[in-house]
Amino acid sequence: MSDHPVHSSRRALLMATGALAAAGLSGPAASQSLREPPVPPTGPKKMLGMVVFEGFELLDIFGPLEMFGMINDRISTVLIADKAGPVTSRTGPATIADVSFADAPKLDIVMIPGGSGTRREVNNPAFLEAVKNLAEATPQVATVCTGSAVLAKTGLLDGVKATSNKMAWQWATAQGAKVIWLPKARWVEDGKYISSSGISAGIDMALALIAKLYGKDMAHWVANRAEYRWHDDPTDDPFAAMSGLG
Amino acid sequence: MSDHPVHSSRRALLMATGALAAAGLSGPAASQSLREPPVPPTGPKKMLGMVVFEGFELLDIFGPLEMFGMINDRISTVLIADKAGPVTSRTGPATIADVSFADAPKLDIVMIPGGSGTRREVNNPAFLEAVKNLAEATPQVATVCTGSAVLAKTGLLDGVKATSNKMAWQWATAQGAKVIWLPKARWVEDGKYISSSGISAGIDMALALIAKLYGKDMAHWVANRAEYRWHDDPTDDPFAAMSGLG
């Protein structure tokens, strides 16, 4: 090419930006290489603890873990359950808990998923006590789907704004009468607590946590590498109306 | 209410439809209850086989399995690997293979995910032979992400249109010089083969398979229950431009 390299590169950038804007994707991501993250790793690695239990919902766990797994040079993941070993999802496929609650390391983020198993766990005092202890000891507490029902049952969400799965709304909200439940929200952040609505919403919330930790460009970079269209507006929730809730 | 009940119900339906249309969601889903599927189960349950291997990508597997898990009254899932037992993902969290290739049941659909482990498996003749045998014996063969590189290496995609992950495009397409690789596609269907682009695209392809099996209303119902916005146009792929491929 006879173009001056700076001009040529700038033109390519502008063309790429235009293509992305036409596709309805965000501006900042357009100017970034998908190869290199926009922010280099700094400081010690963070530790994310994912709580698991029999009857967890697959995507509640593995949607967020896919996004955090894109930056596993700066965040490690540990799966925590009653005891280490296999744990079966609602629909059959299993995962393996790394440690018991008693052996959980110090966490930077704890995440509580949903699933049909939450119906049992809200009546399991030992589980609720373990979740409560973990949440109290951790500076950032996140829930996906009916995970907020479990956390509500511990009392920690009393007076706190939160959301939950739309299909299970009546049951989930009944687990915490003092929680300020918001039905129309992709996710809700209030102090150290962040809760997402049903299943897939956990992916968008995980990206919001990545944005909080490393900036919004980093969250877009992660989403783009996963070929995922991040819904980055927490108030954009078409599923509330669909369930007669918003 | 003094309204005639038919008018009242029709008005509620129209209001719900309007709210969904404003949110950019599809029409048919708006008129369906999220409680009951639009199509009742009929005929024998189908069997979906998900191939797993060390270094699989989490969302490649669990995105599609979440969607199929919403209709597990009509589709069962089996995880198939070199041998039954634990299999670790690229980023650490593990799942558990139900059976070995030798013990796999007769399948209606086989799905091959991607992940860093595909770089090893394209050079593993025993794995390629097992995948080839399974694909030849199964009427519907699906790949997610670099799963298409593995299938391409078996030769079964020669002369077939397919796509793959954008970040791994050069490597993936080099595994099958005779494949008709299409870079700008959310997913590509050609005969009994259907392939999706990177990671998250597997969710949209899984919904397309559900639409093929049970109709588009059913696919929207599944997506809506998972609070997932299905990208139902296979040609809508903004990530190709982002990677300089479209």
Side-chain angles (χ1 to χ4, degrees), chain B residues 43-170:
Chain B
K45 276 181 96 166
K46 294 186 190 299
M47 181 63 80
L48 166 71
M50 179 67 84
V51 171
V52 286
F53 45 82
E54 297 288 320
F56 72 87
E57 189 73 20
L58 284 170
L59 199 62
D60 288 19
I61 287 182
F62 294 115
L65 291 189
E66 176 66 39
M67 299 302 149
F68 285 107
M70 285 285 168
I71 49 170
N72 61 353
D73 56 344
R74 50 202 97 191
I75 296 189
S76 296
T77 297
V78 60
L79 273 66
I80 309 167
D82 278 347
K83 58 179 192 295
V87 184
T88 304
S89 72
R90 174 178 71 82
T91 53
T95 191
I96 300 176
D98 299 299
V99 295
S100 68
F101 285 112
D103 294 332
K106 182 168 160 42
L107 302 175
D108 297 290
I109 307 170
V110 63
M111 196 171 288
I112 304 152
S116 59
T118 59
R119 308 271 172 155
R120 180 191 64 249
E121 297 300 355
V122 295
N123 296 311
N124 177 351
F127 183 85
L128 292 174
E129 181 71 12
V131 166
K132 186 177 184 184
N133 290 341
L134 212 52
E136 285 181 325
T138 305
Q140 176 77 66
V141 180
T143 65
V144 180
C145 194
T146 50
S148 58
V150 172
L151 194 62
K153 194 67 184 280
T154 69
L156 287 178
L157 292 181
D158 286 0
V160 174
K161 290 193 282 286
T163 194
S164 196
N165 178 289
K166 303 304 188 306
M167 296 298 303
W169 188 258
Q170 299 307 326

Side-chain angles (χ1 to χ4, degrees), chain A residues 13-205:
Chain A
L13 174 62
L14 289 172
M15 286 173 67
T17 306
L20 292 170
L25 292 172
S26 67
S31 59
Q32 292 156 14
S33 159
L34 286 182
R35 301 271 161 205
E36 294 300 323
V39 183
T42 53
K45 276 182 96 165
K46 294 185 189 301
M47 181 63 79
L48 166 71
M50 179 67 83
V51 172
V52 287
F53 45 83
E54 296 287 321
F56 72 87
E57 189 73 21
L58 284 171
L59 199 62
D60 288 19
I61 287 182
F62 295 115
L65 291 189
E66 176 66 39
M67 298 302 149
F68 285 106
M70 285 285 168
I71 49 171
N72 61 354
D73 56 345
R74 49 202 98 191
I75 297 189
S76 297
T77 296
V78 60
L79 274 67
I80 309 167
D82 279 346
K83 57 179 193 295
V87 184
T88 303
S89 71
R90 175 179 70 83
T91 53
T95 192
I96 300 176
D98 300 299
V99 295
S100 68
F101 285 112
D103 294 332
K106 184 169 158 42
L107 302 175
D108 297 291
I109 307 170
V110 63
M111 196 171 288
I112 304 152
S116 59
T118 59
R119 308 270 174 156
R120 180 190 64 248
E121 298 299 356
V122 295
N123 296 310
N124 177 352
F127 183 84
L128 291 174
E129 181 72 11
V131 166
K132 187 178 184 183
N133 290 341
L134 212 52
E136 285 181 324
T138 305
Q140 176 76 67
V141 180
T143 65
V144 180
C145 193
T146 49
S148 58
V150 172
L151 193 62
K153 194 68 184 280
T154 68
L156 287 177
L157 292 181
D158 285 359
V160 174
K161 291 194 280 288
T163 194
S164 195
N165 178 290
K166 305 303 188 305
M167 297 298 302
W169 188 257
Q170 299 307 328
W171 173 81
T173 56
Q175 306 310 311
K178 296 177 183 166
V179 179
I180 304 160
W181 293 106
L182 303 179
K184 188 175 187 306
R186 190 68 176 162
W187 71 86
V188 171
E189 186 169 13
D190 189 358
K192 75 179 225 177
Y193 298 101
I194 187 167
S195 55
S196 80
S197 52
I199 307 182
S200 309
I203 301 177
D204 293 331
M205 181 192 71

